[in-house]
Amino acid sequence: MGRVAFLCFVFWLFPSPQALATDPTSCPTHTILITNDTLTIAFHLAATYYPDLCSTKIHLKYGKIKTSMAALPRFGSIFKKPHKRTYKIIVNANPNKPQARLIYDAPFDAIVGVMGHELAHVSDYNTKSSWQIARTGIRYMSKNQRKTIEHQTDSITIARGLGMQLYQFAYYVAYEADLDEAYRQYKLDIYMSPEDIYNAVTTVGANGIRPIQPKP
């Protein structure tokens, strides 16, 4: 009985790997406002590739959006200095919509990849002035400029070490997800293709992963 009691004490003392993965205190400034454990764990795992964002205020929350996920500064935060800003990563609140099912039904590693992509947006915003962020928002209204921005964000994700996870998400979107074909084509037009991501991951230049520029 003494040995059993000791083992029970050990298991009580040391939390499970899942508990560690979902522990929000790993980055106290990251606030989790969603209830989906898979998405939460994927977010925490992706965040380990962005240690520079551990002191950045990021809220992972649900929202009514037209796409699957989005990352942007909170209203009014854009005018603050980078270290004082608060960002939000929004997950589509309706899992029944095809766009949202990209997140809810994707393989776990693919979810980690897309979480890494959204964190790459935050990392990019954090290097910009208020005017540069506003200019990015204006550029995003143009399809060609949006394509350039998203390709650059994919390149940041790859350079951070999440290239294969991002590849799995892009492959899922292109070939496996249950999507309206018009939305699938939009994703393929705006973001890097699975083939381009794979080539970027396996092509190393003098300064690491060589970014892939969008095709005209």
Side-chain angles (χ1 to χ4, degrees):
M1 287 296 294
R3 181 175 299 177
V4 172
F6 174 76
L7 289 175
C8 290
F9 172 76
V10 169
F11 284 121
W12 171 82
L13 185 63
F14 295 100
S16 67
Q18 181 174 355
L20 290 172
T22 58
D23 181 7
T25 60
S26 56
C27 279
T29 57
H30 296 175
T31 304
I32 308 300
L33 300 172
I34 65 174
T35 56
N36 186 298
D37 288 342
T38 300
L39 299 184
T40 299
I41 295 171
F43 171 80
H44 283 307
L45 183 54
T48 63
Y49 290 79
Y50 294 86
D52 52 306
L53 295 180
C54 201
S55 60
T56 302
K57 294 179 182 178
I58 302 173
H59 293 175
L60 181 67
K61 58 180 294 184
Y62 292 121
K64 294 181 180 180
I65 53 177
K66 293 182 179 180
T67 186
S68 50
M69 292 185 69
L72 63 160
R74 292 189 67 184
F75 181 76
S77 188
I78 184 177
F79 303 108
K80 297 179 180 180
K81 294 181 179 180
H83 69 281
K84 292 185 176 181
R85 291 177 190 150
T86 300
Y87 299 94
K88 53 186 178 180
I89 295 178
I90 305 172
V91 179
N92 194 310
N94 188 348
N96 295 318
K97 288 187 176 181
Q99 303 96 308
R101 287 202 299 269
L102 274 180
I103 301 300
Y104 294 94
D105 295 346
F108 179 75
D109 280 355
I111 299 174
V112 174
V114 74
M115 288 288 184
H117 174 94
E118 298 305 331
L119 286 165
H121 275 299
V122 175
S123 178
D124 181 55
Y125 292 144
N126 235 16
T127 66
K128 286 179 163 60
S129 67
S130 300
W131 162 244
Q132 288 172 324
I133 293 178
R135 183 171 178 269
T136 298
I138 295 170
R139 289 176 58 209
Y140 206 82
M141 290 187 286
S142 160
K143 184 176 180 179
N144 287 337
Q145 290 296 312
R146 188 184 314 157
K147 182 175 181 177
T148 298
I149 291 168
E150 293 297 356
H151 274 62
Q152 290 171 344
T153 304
D154 280 340
S155 290
I156 293 171
T157 311
I158 294 165
R160 288 296 184 125
L162 287 167
M164 289 312 297
Q165 290 85 352
L166 186 65
Y167 167 80
Q168 290 188 50
F169 182 74
Y171 187 93
Y172 175 72
V173 170
Y175 303 112
E176 297 177 343
D178 179 17
L179 283 179
D180 176 88
E181 287 306 314
Y183 187 67
R184 190 193 312 277
Q185 192 57 50
Y186 167 81
K187 300 289 280 188
L188 295 175
D189 288 343
I190 297 298
Y191 298 85
M192 287 174 64
S193 69
E195 294 75 20
D196 280 348
I197 294 172
Y198 184 85
N199 289 335
V201 171
T202 57
T203 302
V204 181
N207 296 316
I209 301 295
R210 186 171 65 201
I212 299 296
Q213 295 300 318
K215 297 175 182 178

